[in-house]
């Protein structure tokens, strides 16, 4: 008599093509992808609240320079990504001014300089025959071909990013609303902003390793944008974004894996599948949000319109 | 008017430091911004429980003065003393304008709760006591009705109330409000002014509230700090709002006209022509 789990496996056979659960690279991909999805989601919610999507996207592009420099130097791409992004985040914070416009200018300046470097290193990588495919790896990620030690590095850096975010949570929320409001509370706004940029730099580096520099913005902003439509609370937004992110990465990985069988040898790029799912989730969230009423004027028991004050005259 | 407000004000709670009740002191403070002197030789002090109107027209330096008190602007000369330990939960602040993104996942009550613990590290867990404090504060400013709404979707006046709740919930000793009436209709403005006067007396908070029009504040102001031409005068409303004092401040003849319980300040000797410009 077949065990229940065997029965489940059998019934899901058309979904999970042979070898999906026993494949080493798939295990690594699911683990790394899951961590990256959570980190990107949490950092992404704050990125959206703070209106720093441009910084997030720029760090991804800057990561291209770091990744290609690492390939050129013969070290693991993740080190190049993290090093370049952290330094870039530091420079952005140093030259950044407190207004969002000033932040954007600072971001743009650092971005421009880095893209020049990226062009240089990618050119070097391309003409040196020993590193064919480096460009593709840096730009589109390599979730199925991650080096064995990558899971640990990703887990550690991901934990650092999340811990930083948890530590700064409340001051970060307040200073995202208004510089003056936070400063009036005695919050060191620039220090908090710098801490956030560091968390952002790590998150972007991690997602650039997994799904590539070009698409990492989608994983950072997409799930957060979905969450913003579906919930009104910051903590819930992080939870929803994490769920959307993990769902997209895991299902995307599965589809990419299965597609090898469906397409007879050819396969869909895994990054394409993941980002496609994020986009589908975004479209769906628009429909769901429209169906959910904003309970703006719903009265709570005892709520009054007028002020609770004695009449003076 | 100041004297009967004094009579009805409760004495400070027993055990409170009674030696000095001063919550703010400016001594000959001058401020320059972008090479221009915005405030010159301003001296002023505020006691706990006092309601002071900070009056001046656009560009007179009201926002600058409030940011100076918070230490967000440094004086070129003079000293600013707040015996409350400077920036922090003891000084409440409602900025003139804050632009909140409409879709931001943050409810009105979340913003108020950040007034309680926004300066603390860590995500924090709010217990029933904190939730009750937030509810009470929302109720007190008449914001309970939209407590669950996204704060960015609220109207300007609704946001103003939420901001006041945010500033008040940490039980400050000094409350700075920058043009809180600008977004409110007349009725709502009167309600907020009454609420603030009530709070100043009841909780023994010093309030410095800026406005370009002093009239809505006349029934509740204990004192006035009047800014014009970079300089300031302060004192009781009757002392400050007089033809002599304001003429000296403006450095030219202005006329103070009291009519129908309102005060109008006009330039020049031709009092019958209020359109005469300065
Ligand atoms: N950073 C700055 N650099 C140069 N000048 C400044 C700066 N900030 C303010 N000012 C100038 O200082 C003066 C006072 O500005 P402030 O914002 O304090 O006026 P206000 O009384 O609050 O005016 P409003 O009623 O319009 O809010 C204005 O003339 C303004 O142009
Ligand atoms: Mg102002």
């Amino acid at each position: 008599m077949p065990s229940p789990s065997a029965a489940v496996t059998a019934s899901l056979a058309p979904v999970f093509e042979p070898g999906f659960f026993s494949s080493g690279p798939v295990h690594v991909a699911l683990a790394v992808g899951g961590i990256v999805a959570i980190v990107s989601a949490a950092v992404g919610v704050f990125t959206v609240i703070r209106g720093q999507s441009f910084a997030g996207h720029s760090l991804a592009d800057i990561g291209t320079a770091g990744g290609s420099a690492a390939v050129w130097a013969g070290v693991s791409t993740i080190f190049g990504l993290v090093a370049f992004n952290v330094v870039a985040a530091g420079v952005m914070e140093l030259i950044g001014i407190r207004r969002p416009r000033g932040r954007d200018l600072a971001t743009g300046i650092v971005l421009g300089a880095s893209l020049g470097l990226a062009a240089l290193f990618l050119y070097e990588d391309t003409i040196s025959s020993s590193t064919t495919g480096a460009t593709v790896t840096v730009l589109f990620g390599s979730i199925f071909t991650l080096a064995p030690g990558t899971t640990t590095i990703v887990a550690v850096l991901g934990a650092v990013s999340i811990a930083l975010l948890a530590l700064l949570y409340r001051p970060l929320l307040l200073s995202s609303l208004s510089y003056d409001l936070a400063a009036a509370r005695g919050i060191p706004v620039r220090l908090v902003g710098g801490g956030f940029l560091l968390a952002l730099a790590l998150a972007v580096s991690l997602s650039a390793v997994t799904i590539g520099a070009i698409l990492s913005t989608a994983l950072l902003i997409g799930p957060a944008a979905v969450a913003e439509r579906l919930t009104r609370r910051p903590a819930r937004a992080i939870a929803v974004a994490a769920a959307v992110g993990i769902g997209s990465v895991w299902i995307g990985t599965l589809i990419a894996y299965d597609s090898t069988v469906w397409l007879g040898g050819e396969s869909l790029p895994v990054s394409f599948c993941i980002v496609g799912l994020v986009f589908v989730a975004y479209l769906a969230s628009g429909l769901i949000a429209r169906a959910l009423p904003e309970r703006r004027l719903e009265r709570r028991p005892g709520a009054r319109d007028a002020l609770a004050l004695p009449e003076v005259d | 008017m100041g004297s009967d407000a004094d009579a009805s004000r409760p004495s400070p709670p027993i055990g409170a430091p009674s030696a000095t009740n001063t919550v703010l002191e400016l001594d000959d403070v001058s401020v320059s911004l972008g090479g221009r002197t915005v405030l010159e030789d301003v001296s002023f002090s505020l006691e706990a429980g006092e309601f002071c109107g900070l009056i001046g027209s656009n560009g007179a330096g009201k926002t600058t003065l409030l940011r100076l008190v918070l230490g967000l602007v440094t004086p070129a000369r003079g000293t600013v003393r707040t015996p409350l330990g400077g920036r922090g939960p003891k000084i409440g602040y409602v900025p003139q304008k804050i632009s909140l993104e409409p879709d931001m996942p943050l409810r009105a009550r979340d913003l108020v709760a950040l007034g309680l613990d926004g300066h603390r590290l860590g995500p924090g867990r709010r217990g029933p006591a904190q939730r009750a404090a937030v509810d009470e504060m929302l109720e007190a400013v008449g914001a309970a009705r939209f407590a669950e709404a996204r704060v960015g979707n609220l109207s300007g006046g609704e946001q103003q109330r939420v901001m006041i709740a945010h500033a008040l919930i940490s039980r400050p000793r000094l409350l700075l409000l920058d043009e809180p009436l600008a977004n409110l209709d007349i009725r709502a403005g009167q309600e907020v002014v009454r609420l603030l006067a009530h709070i100043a007396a009841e909780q023994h908070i010093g309030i410095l509230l800026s406005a370009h029009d002093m009239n809505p504040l006349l029934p509740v102001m204990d004192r006035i700090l009047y800014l014009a031409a970079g300089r300031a005068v302060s004192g009781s409303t009757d002392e400050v709002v007089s033809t002599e004092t304001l003429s000296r401040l403006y450095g030219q003849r202005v006329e103070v006209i009291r009519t129908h319980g309102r005060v109008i300040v006009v330039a020049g000797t031709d009092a019958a022509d209020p359109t005469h410009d300065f």
Side-chain angles (χ1 to χ4, degrees):
Chain A
M1 181 179 157
S3 72
S5 66
V8 170
T9 312
S11 66
L12 291 177
V15 180
F16 298 101
E17 290 298 338
F20 183 76
F21 286 112
S22 57
S23 153
V26 169
H27 289 170
V28 174
L30 293 182
V32 170
I35 297 168
V36 166
I38 292 172
V39 175
S40 292
V43 173
V45 166
F46 279 100
T47 308
V48 168
I49 289 180
R50 292 174 67 78
Q52 280 188 301
S53 304
F54 180 48
H57 178 76
S58 302
L59 283 170
D61 290 348
I62 291 162
T64 315
S68 50
V71 171
W72 175 76
V75 298
S76 173
T77 28
I78 191 162
F79 294 118
L81 282 163
V82 170
F84 269 59
N85 279 344
V86 169
V87 169
V91 175
M92 279 182 200
E93 182 52 36
L94 277 182
I95 60 177
I97 317 145
R98 69 187 169 90
R99 298 181 204 294
R101 212 178 83 84
R103 273 191 335 217
D104 275 0
L105 291 180
T107 304
I109 292 163
V110 177
L111 172 64
S114 306
L115 284 180
L117 282 180
L120 173 68
F121 286 122
L122 285 176
Y123 175 73
E124 292 292 333
D125 292 342
T126 312
I127 59 168
S128 102
S129 55
S130 60
T131 54
T132 337
T135 312
V136 172
T137 304
V138 170
L139 294 181
F140 299 103
S142 51
I143 199 169
F144 282 140
T145 56
L146 290 165
T150 311
T151 315
T152 321
I153 301 167
V154 166
V156 169
L157 294 179
V160 169
S161 181
I162 292 283
L164 202 54
L165 217 54
L167 184 72
L168 297 180
Y169 190 82
R170 285 176 289 182
L172 186 59
L173 257 185
L174 196 49
S175 49
S176 306
L177 302 179
S178 149
Y179 177 96
D180 276 3
L181 208 57
R185 295 256 155 208
I187 295 170
V189 181
R190 291 203 59 179
L191 195 62
V192 169
F196 174 70
L197 269 184
L198 181 59
L200 178 62
L202 290 177
V204 169
S205 305
L206 297 186
S207 62
V209 167
T210 351
I211 62 166
I214 286 185
L215 299 178
S216 66
T217 310
L219 204 53
L220 183 76
I221 304 302
V226 171
E228 193 183 64
R229 284 173 156 185
L230 298 183
T231 172
R232 280 171 286 170
R233 306 187 192 193
R236 277 195 196 166
I238 291 175
V240 171
V244 171
I246 291 181
S248 306
V249 169
W250 284 357
I251 298 171
T253 306
L254 173 65
I255 292 174
Y257 184 88
D258 285 0
S259 70
T260 322
V261 178
W262 303 336
L263 303 177
E266 293 292 303
S267 71
L268 292 171
V270 62
S271 305
F272 165 79
C273 299
I274 294 172
V275 171
L277 286 171
V278 170
F279 188 65
V280 168
Y282 182 72
L283 293 181
S285 71
L287 298 177
I288 297 170
R290 213 168 302 162
L292 288 178
E294 178 91 340
R295 292 173 305 152
R296 182 180 132 76
L297 291 176
E298 181 179 288
R299 283 173 168 274
R300 292 180 315 103
R304 266 174 291 179
D305 261 330
L307 297 174
L309 268 188
E311 284 296 324
V312 235
D313 37 18
Chain B
M1 153 189 339
S3 54
D4 35 53
D6 275 329
S8 63
R9 193 179 307 137
S11 48
I14 297 154
S18 54
T20 172
N21 259 327
T22 308
V23 289
L24 172 62
E25 220 171 342
L26 304 188
D27 254 334
D28 280 332
V29 176
S30 298
V31 176
S32 297
L33 291 174
R36 237 188 76 217
T37 304
V38 176
L39 295 172
E40 200 175 354
D41 294 331
V42 178
S43 293
F44 169 71
S45 79
L46 188 71
E47 305 285 307
E50 264 184 337
F51 191 121
C52 178
L54 172 60
I55 309 298
S57 44
N58 293 136
K62 303 181 293 296
T63 300
T64 305
L65 192 134
L66 295 177
R67 299 188 80 234
L68 175 82
V69 173
L70 287 165
L72 300 176
V73 171
T74 38
R77 272 182 291 119
T79 51
V80 178
R81 267 194 302 273
T82 49
L84 307 170
R87 265 175 269 173
K90 287 284 155 218
I91 303 182
Y93 178 46
V94 179
Q96 181 166 8
K97 57 167 190 270
I98 107 167
S99 44
L100 298 164
E101 283 296 316
D103 297 326
M104 197 161 40
L106 192 83
R107 298 166 301 169
R109 66 163 53 255
D110 297 323
L111 177 52
V112 176
L114 282 174
L116 209 51
D117 57 17
H119 55 288
R120 300 241 165 85
L121 290 177
R125 282 197 67 82
R126 294 178 186 127
Q130 282 95 329
R131 279 201 296 275
V134 170
D135 280 333
E136 193 187 320
M137 207 62 244
L138 284 162
E139 190 84 32
V141 299
R145 196 164 47 91
F146 39 82
E148 308 296 324
R150 287 175 200 254
V151 67
N153 281 346
L154 297 178
S155 78
E158 290 168 338
Q159 280 181 9
Q160 197 71 261
R161 286 166 189 243
V162 175
M163 297 293 296
I164 292 173
H166 166 92
L168 276 176
I169 198 169
S170 60
R171 304 211 158 257
R173 298 287 313 286
L174 172 61
L175 183 58
L176 310 170
L177 301 117
D178 202 354
E179 307 238 20
L181 308 184
N183 270 324
L184 303 179
D185 55 47
I186 291 175
R187 204 183 97 87
Q190 282 170 346
E191 279 180 353
V192 166
V193 164
R194 267 177 50 216
L195 168 76
L196 291 170
H198 180 73
I199 287 167
E202 180 117 300
Q203 298 184 15
H204 213 58
I205 297 174
I207 292 187
L208 186 57
L209 181 152
S210 82
H212 50 264
D213 179 14
M214 71 178 97
N215 282 298
L217 304 174
L218 287 176
V220 299
M221 263 193 300
D222 301 312
R223 311 189 49 199
I224 192 166
L225 176 58
Y226 202 111
L227 299 182
R231 291 175 300 153
V233 281
S234 72
S236 76
T237 316
D238 292 337
E239 283 162 21
V240 173
V241 188
S242 70
T243 299
E244 294 70 40
T245 313
L246 289 189
S247 294
R248 225 177 307 127
L249 178 67
Y250 278 103
Q252 58 180 292
R253 176 117 184 117
V254 298
E255 204 82 41
V256 173
I257 303 166
R258 290 167 196 272
T259 166
H260 298 99
R262 290 177 59 84
V263 172
I264 305 168
V265 181
V266 292
T269 45
D270 187 4
D273 178 17
T275 57
H276 194 297
D277 55 2
F278 283 68

